[in-house]
């Protein structure tokens, strides 16, 4: 039950962060829709994470890895590459942030590190490393894949595509991909 309360607070914080972070760079008509979009994106991230957790025992690790890698290509891989190869080196060279969205790019670019981190944590609880890595990639990529596809399917403005993706990244990383320290406890959370 504590995990549910944590996720409710996390949903509100992600929606608030989605509203506050870029608000001074947006024109007025986007203010309220950005907050509502952040709230919807965080709720969808929670829902899709629960879906991935429920499907995980039914899908073999090799298939989890293939599905996770496929969703990574359509959702977060390009963002991470741009961040690591372009944004972070520019910020390091300048010694300061060059754009108001640089912190978001940096956090989103480094967020895939949650996948090997979760796999190592699962390895410490006794799970084999390759199935743990496949499960972490599956839980990270599937929700983000759907969060990047939904705004495209609904023909939403490009700002909302980024909003959904970055809000989903925030939620998943801060939630720890739904993993717990105790084996076998993820399914009911």
């Amino acid at each position: 039950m504590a995990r549910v309360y944590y996720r409710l607070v996390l949903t509100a914080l992600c929606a608030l962060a989605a509203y506050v972070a870029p608000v001074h760079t947006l024109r007025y008509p986007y203010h309220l829709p950005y907050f509502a979009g952040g709230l919807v994106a965080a709720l969808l991230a929670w829902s899709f994470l629960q879906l991935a957790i429920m499907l995980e025992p039914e899908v073999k690790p090799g298939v989890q890895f293939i599905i996770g890698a496929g969703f990574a290509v359509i959702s977060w891989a390009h963002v991470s590459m741009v961040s690591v190869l372009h944004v972070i080196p520019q910020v390091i060279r300048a010694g300061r942030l060059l754009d108001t969205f640089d912190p978001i790019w940096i956090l989103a670019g480094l967020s895939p590190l949650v996948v090997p981190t979760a796999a190592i944590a699962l390895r410490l609880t006794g799970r084999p490393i390759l199935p743990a890595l496949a499960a972490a990639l599956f839980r990270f990529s599937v929700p983000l894949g759907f969060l990047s596809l939904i705004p495209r399917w609904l023909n939403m403005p490009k700002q909302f595509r980024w909003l959904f993706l970055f809000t989903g990244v925030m939620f998943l990383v801060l939630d720890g991909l739904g993993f717990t320290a105790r084996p076998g406890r993820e399914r009911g959370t």
Side-chain angles (χ1 to χ4, degrees), residues 111-124 133 136 177 179:
S111 66
L113 292 175
V114 75
V115 172
T117 303
I120 290 169
L122 288 172
R123 176 66 185 116
L124 294 175
L133 185 62
L177 301 179
F179 289 114

Side-chain angles (χ1 to χ4, degrees), residues 41 80 129 134 148 151 177:
S80 189
I129 189 69
S148 66
L177 301 179

